[in-house]
Amino acid sequence: MLTSVSPFARGFALLLALVALPLVAAEPEIELEGGTKSLRENIRQHLTLADESCKTPLWRLHALLTDAENEIAVAAQALGFYELEYEAKLRNDKECWGLDITLTPGEPVRVKEVRIEINGEGRQDDIFKSLYDKPGIKIGNRLNHGSYETLKARFGTLAAIHGYFDATFEHSQISINTEEKSAIIELVYNTGNRYRIGVINLQHDILNESFLRRYFNFAEGDYYDSDQLLELKNLYNASNYFSVASIAPNLQELKDNKVTVDMQLEARKRREYSVGAGVDTDAGPRVLLGFEDRYVNSNGHSIAADINAAEKKTNALLAYTIPMRRPAYEFLRIYTGYEKEITDTTRSYKDTYGTSYTYYQDNKWLQTYALDYEREDSTIGTDPETSTDLIIPSVSITRTKTDGNPYPLSGWTLLAKLSGSPQSLGSDFSFVQFHLRAKYIKGFSFGRILLRSELGTTQLDDFSELPASVRFFAGGDASVRGYDYKSLGPTRDFSGFTGPLENPKLADEVIGGNNLLVNSIEYDYRFEDSKWAAAVFFDAGNAANDTKIEVKRGAGVGARWISPIGPIRIDVAKALDGDEGVRLHISMGPDL
């Protein structure tokens, strides 16, 4: 279909074209040929001529072209080309000028020798050893002045980090032999004396200074090391007492080979209240309430209360925490808690009173030694409710290593716990239990793989005495997907019963087991520049009362939305054994 254009539209289009002309104005063209790409780029960056516009008169361009001779030589020598020759031709086109440069770089100068000498107190210090072993300049490589300056900067960086504040170069040069096309690098560095920690000025307003100094990883008189200052700063920031921790040497007060260290700690708000909500298909919709008093007294004691209430599972915990000798690495906790859990075949109501000692090893493993008193009223299937009183000592170790991202591409986590209940301490019966959880994540250019494993075993004389919370079950969001929460495990044993059952449903009641094994493999693919990822997975496992585990399998697909607190997962899983069908799983939280 033909349409006519009004004179006004044609005039408006012409006006737009005239206005747009300056936006596509011509620019000078500088063409370089010959040599390496890095050589051409370095010369282009050094040319003052490249900053001129099309309006620059020819007389000025010719003057700048004369100056360019030195600029080109400097740019070439910086990359080891000391015999470079070139031809430059200036063009004067109708719209703008241009410049053509043809390079003949010649044979480059190569590094023949690197001589490094360190004098002063740091002569034997291992921190400078990397300069000898890996200077970043290889014998036989083309000379690069940038690499030379980088090496020199490393001397100063190492000296500043480790307290050699008076360090300086006694001699630094590159000797060029143009005939041999070789270069000898010579660096003589005098570290002077290494400074020690002098007065430590600590500014704060909420806690005892004697308590705060228990965080110190250095003392007055120790050698200065900025890495230790950074570590201390991180410890204060992670302590939950302070919003900002500033720690720095006062380089204006260098005296008698000592440096003053100034610290300033800004307190966090003492009390905090929190309200939240969440959802998962194991427990259903839930409400989270929290309260924290970060410093009950000037010795850093704290108190916290948390409630996680859902239809199927509710937890409440009140804990009083006491920092120990090394507050950043060890603490004592006194607590009481309540837990309610209702599944299709079990009901459990448990009160806990206990104390624990937690200690971070230097290798980042977290150890917890605990002693709990648990009183539990539980119902298994159609059995009458039973009450148990157990005193349970336990020891657990855990560690998580991750790249720190909400959607990690590498890392692992492991939790191992050994617990028991000796009847000799007053428990209703004795048992010993071991429980292990592990997860591993490995990222690739085409996605990531997640491996998950869980196993457990319990040793006791009479399994029927074990309350619901101590038994093993499988199934659910974090177990074998495709099956309902804690719906997998041994059922009642009627192998010795010959008559008809009054209630046939008894044979299908899952009563839990004393052994557990669950494994999972998952592949995730995150869409480029998106907070969404797709997943496929396969889970397998079950609980049992012996080593012959009847494995139940589930597989499915899912979607992940990467939130700041970790992925929110939506999975559709198919049970591959039995008649469970397809089940939806929703969960949220960190991957590790």
Side-chain angles (χ1 to χ4, degrees), residues 61-75:
L61 293 175
H62 283 291
L64 291 174
L65 189 58
T66 301
D67 296 338
E69 182 176 353
N70 182 62
E71 295 172 346
I72 293 174
V74 170

Side-chain angles (χ1 to χ4, degrees), residues 11-170:
F12 185 71
L14 179 61
L15 178 62
L16 286 178
L18 291 174
V19 171
L21 282 177
L23 300 179
V24 292
E27 295 182 355
E29 291 186 358
I30 300 178
E31 299 290 339
L32 290 96
E33 294 183 358
T36 64
K37 181 180 179 181
S38 60
L39 175 62
R40 294 192 297 270
E41 290 178 349
N42 203 43
I43 289 176
R44 187 186 299 275
Q45 291 175 4
H46 277 73
L47 284 175
T48 305
L49 192 67
D51 298 329
E52 297 298 314
S53 69
C54 289
K55 295 180 179 181
T56 303
L58 282 177
W59 65 266
R60 176 171 172 78
L61 293 175
H62 283 291
L64 291 174
L65 189 58
T66 301
D67 296 338
E69 182 176 353
N70 182 62
E71 295 172 346
I72 293 174
V74 170
Q77 291 174 11
L79 298 181
F81 296 99
Y82 278 76
E83 296 183 349
L84 178 135
E85 295 180 357
Y86 72 94
E87 292 182 4
K89 182 178 180 182
L90 194 63
R91 291 182 282 105
N92 187 15
D93 300 329
K94 291 183 180 180
E95 295 182 353
C96 193
W97 60 270
L99 179 64
D100 296 326
I101 300 177
T102 303
L103 305 174
T104 305
E107 188 70 20
V109 170
R110 298 187 179 277
V111 178
K112 179 180 180 181
E113 187 178 355
V114 178
R115 300 172 183 171
I116 295 176
E117 182 180 344
I118 296 177
N119 299 320
E121 190 176 332
R123 182 181 182 89
Q124 302 298 327
D125 198 327
D126 287 342
I127 65 169
F128 295 106
K129 190 173 184 295
S130 63
L131 299 173
Y132 295 101
D133 297 341
K134 297 180 179 180
I137 300 174
K138 292 184 178 180
I139 305 300
N141 280 8
R142 176 164 47 86
L143 176 65
N144 187 309
H145 285 254
S147 299
Y148 168 72
E149 294 298 331
T150 299
L151 175 58
K152 288 182 64 177
R154 285 173 59 193
F155 280 82
T157 299
L158 288 173
I161 289 175
H162 297 282
Y164 295 97
F165 298 121
D166 299 330
T168 185
F169 279 102
E170 294 180 346

